[in-house]
Amino acid sequence: MATIKDIARIAGVAPSVVSRALNNKYGVKESTRQRIIQIARELGYYPNSAARSLVTRRSETIGIVMADISEPFYSQSIKGMEYVAKQTGYTLLFSNSYENVEQGQVLHKMISGERVDGLVIVGSNIQEKSFISLLLERDIPFVLVERKFSDPRVNCIWLDNVKGGYMATKYLIEKGHRRIGHIAGNLYFQVALDRIEGYKRALAEAGIDFSQEWVAAGDFLTHGGYRAMKELLPLGCTAVFVANDAMAYGALRAISEAGLKVPDDIAIVGFDDLEFSSLTNPPLTTIRQPRYEMGRKSLEILTSILRERRSGDEASPDGVKVCFQPELIVRQSA
Amino acid sequence: MATIKDIARIAGVAPSVVSRALNNKYGVKESTRQRIIQIARELGYYPNSAARSLVTRRSETIGIVMADISEPFYSQSIKGMEYVAKQTGYTLLFSNSYENVEQGQVLHKMISGERVDGLVIVGSNIQEKSFISLLLERDIPFVLVERKFSDPRVNCIWLDNVKGGYMATKYLIEKGHRRIGHIAGNLYFQVALDRIEGYKRALAEAGIDFSQEWVAAGDFLTHGGYRAMKELLPLGCTAVFVANDAMAYGALRAISEAGLKVPDDIAIVGFDDLEFSSLTNPPLTTIRQPRYEMGRKSLEILTSILRERRSGDEASPDGVKVCFQPELIVRQSA
DNA sequence: CGACTTTTCGAAAACGTTTGCCAACCTACC
DNA sequence: GGTAGGTTGGCAAACGTTTTCGAAAAGTCG
């Protein structure tokens, strides 16, 4: 590979001039700049990223850590993030946390190895906070997705899950249901708790007693939804609000295996509005989460912080907090 | 962040010794090694990856380029790759090619910037070959997934798609169907061509005339499957072999919208066996592709090449070629 | 105890960039 | 023609490692 020195030699100029020319810095005559650019092109020059980030202390890379990148739930978020990454020239480095950000050395590998300039952490569980103080202490920009965090310094973006749970449940109540169950997500995650909270509020508002028995524990995965629905079935509810679509798929299956019909015997409302949810039988009524926009926003926040830092401006000490709104998508399962 | 020099100073030793101690190299007394390790731990030392790869010319990173990481099709491959990556300590750097590897600078960014030590390229289209000669020329290890490439030097792994297409079609024939349509994938990809070929062979073997009219053009995406099925519907076929599950979902929808029943009016066989395919209505009969194993294998091949190179052994000039076998999964759509 | 071998350690170069600072050059103005 | 001021280019240090080579220390053996 050609280096900056090769170019300098050929152009009859010092390496530093080549660097400035290629980086569009002030202080090099336009004619020599053109000459240098031409030579660089002919040599197929591409800057060595290790050398560059060693001196600039920047990697132009952003780390994305999420539970499991292969969950369909994340597909749209990723697309949104990539959109911004492409715009701003950042490279995205994905890493699975498998429900536990703090465990494992991925985070250390990323931040201590200076492989990333900043982080987007989506869906960390509520018990984890030491990694947050670590990031704060090391002064590494990051944004939390799907988690509200009270410290004013941290950037968070999340969906109003309480409202979403409320909307789903209220919709079922308006449809005339009174015996409404809930399949909850993994309770170590704030989203699961918030959706339960919304469910409770709608119930309370309609004067329906909340019963712990009606909420079955799930794990946000299809199979967990299936199991939970089986638990719920004998209780005779006429409707179930399921904390996410993936579990709703499992619930649909359990219901169908029991020989019951959706929505006539049991109505189902999911959460998330995955791509597949319009293809289930029947198509799933659900709460849409603007995942693309949220992914995009998360990266916009991060890149703008990074930009501020690079330009040396004093960044505001306060983080950004953005709350997105859920939307009810009515299909045929309720 | 603490550097190797800090440790050296505290330990009263030269930086080079620290490096050797931390990398478990021969030539440092066990007692000093322990002392150094202890100090490193106390300081929370982590090697700066840029500095390291600048001198070693290795990034300990593998680039994975695929059409669209968020397609559910890839989820299992990714899991398989991650498994090996974790074992071997490599970091995975994903990049979407959006159906065109050569376009765009991702590849250059990765290889010319020396960000990756090797590449796994899954599903490049058949017209693209200049990137292959580039990689060969630059002597960058890579493995092609989902594409057979005749040059003996290149490592390829693929599924026997001809056989898969044959199995799917033959199954339908055995079920008594004679009017069997096909929804093809994007014809710029070898897999699409091979599955058509398998379809043709099964037809020929059963003495059924092949008619171009019976094969509808698709794009491997759900919506394309939906459209293609609509084209096929008026032709009165009693069965359709769909080139992948994602399109099969669209086909199922089109059929159901037309008021027809699967499998009674039209039988459907898909390809891939995605997670969702057991949840469709009716559950999809399909050809399974061992995606996890293929992802895993691709990275095993690459890492073993990388290991050989690092140890300085002369690698064999010939690449590895691995063909995986498809498997028929019978559910209820055919 | 001396000669030799082996082990342990240190100095320094190298990897490819960026950047602060200074020197040289050019322009223009008096 | 001299000087001030601005523009352009070069030198050298720095970033944090690894690695080569040689020196010093330690160990071995007669």
Side-chain angles (χ1 to χ4, degrees), chain B residues 50-333:
Chain B
R52 174 179 284 190
S53 52
L54 181 57
V55 45
T56 61
R57 328 245 48 165
R58 270 181 271 119
S59 60
E60 309 291 342
T61 299
I62 288 173
I64 313 285
V65 4
M66 46 179 105
D68 183 352
I69 193 181
S70 62
E71 278 297 315
F73 172 80
Y74 294 112
S75 64
Q76 290 302 312
S77 325
I78 294 174
K79 282 222 169 78
M81 293 177 184
E82 280 189 327
Y83 174 82
V84 182
K86 178 161 274 181
Q87 301 272 318
T88 52
Y90 278 96
T91 298
L92 261 29
L93 184 58
F94 295 94
S95 181
N96 287 348
S97 60
Y98 294 119
E99 308 212 342
N100 203 322
V101 178
E102 296 182 351
Q103 218 90 323
Q105 0 59 331
V106 272
L107 212 63
H108 264 88
K109 200 169 177 178
M110 280 185 169
I111 66 175
S112 303
E114 289 193 30
R115 293 167 99 100
V116 301
D117 297 341
L119 284 167
V120 172
I121 293 158
V122 11
S124 53
N125 90 45
I126 53 176
Q127 297 194 310
E128 301 181 291
K129 48 189 180 177
S130 75
F131 81 88
I132 294 183
S133 18
L134 175 67
L135 293 173
L136 247 19
E137 185 188 324
R138 295 258 190 105
D139 200 31
I140 294 171
F142 67 101
V143 4
L144 253 36
V145 181
E146 276 185 27
R147 182 166 174 197
K148 293 171 281 189
F149 198 81
S150 52
D151 189 315
R153 293 169 296 175
V154 342
N155 309 285
C156 321
I157 96 176
W158 70 93
L159 186 81
D160 189 336
N161 285 294
V162 176
K163 186 191 273 188
Y166 173 85
M167 286 165 67
T169 312
K170 184 168 187 196
Y171 174 74
L172 289 169
I173 293 170
E174 284 171 351
K175 281 276 189 172
H177 295 281
R178 305 283 297 177
R179 306 172 64 85
I180 303 172
H182 177 52
I183 295 178
N186 182 330
L187 299 182
Y188 284 114
F189 291 83
Q190 189 64 44
V191 293
L193 302 175
D194 285 352
R195 288 171 197 175
I196 292 181
E197 175 62 22
Y199 161 77
K200 285 185 181 172
R201 280 198 200 167
L203 252 36
E205 192 182 89
I208 303 173
D209 283 342
F210 167 77
S211 152
Q212 188 61 49
E213 193 190 14
W214 294 91
V215 356
D219 55 1
F220 286 131
L221 302 178
T222 298
H223 190 65
Y226 174 83
R227 272 198 320 252
M229 192 66 226
K230 287 215 158 178
E231 287 174 25
L232 241 37
L233 239 24
L235 274 54
C237 25
T238 64
V240 176
F241 162 45
V242 187
N244 75 342
D245 283 4
M247 290 196 295
Y249 302 156
L252 288 178
R253 176 187 226 177
I255 294 170
S256 127
E257 284 182 6
L260 299 173
K261 284 283 174 210
V262 174
D264 302 334
D265 299 319
I266 300 184
I268 295 283
V269 175
F271 207 113
D272 286 345
D273 193 27
L274 301 187
E275 282 79 359
F276 280 138
S277 297
S278 61
L279 298 167
T280 53
N281 175 40
L284 195 65
T285 293
T286 190
I287 303 292
R288 172 174 296 164
Q289 185 163 186
R291 299 175 353 252
Y292 179 87
E293 285 75 15
M294 290 173 75
R296 185 168 154 174
K297 186 70 184 176
S298 66
L299 224 64
E300 282 173 350
I301 294 173
L302 193 58
T303 52
S304 92
I305 294 175
L306 258 19
R307 199 180 321 122
E308 279 176 8
R309 293 211 176 186
R310 198 164 24 180
S311 67
D313 297 358
E314 192 55 46
S316 114
D318 278 1
V320 182
K321 312 258 181 202
V322 182
C323 175
F324 282 80
Q325 293 303 311
E327 182 192 356
L328 175 68
I329 304 293
V330 177
R331 294 204 183 91
Q332 294 153 41
S333 69

Side-chain angles (χ1 to χ4, degrees), chain B residues 19-35:
Chain B
S19 173
R20 280 189 286 255
L22 261 23
N23 291 323
N24 289 314
K25 290 254 174 92
Y26 174 80
V28 28
K29 194 162 42 171
E30 193 50 32
S31 64
T32 55
R33 181 197 302 280
Q34 288 308 330
R35 188 157 43 94

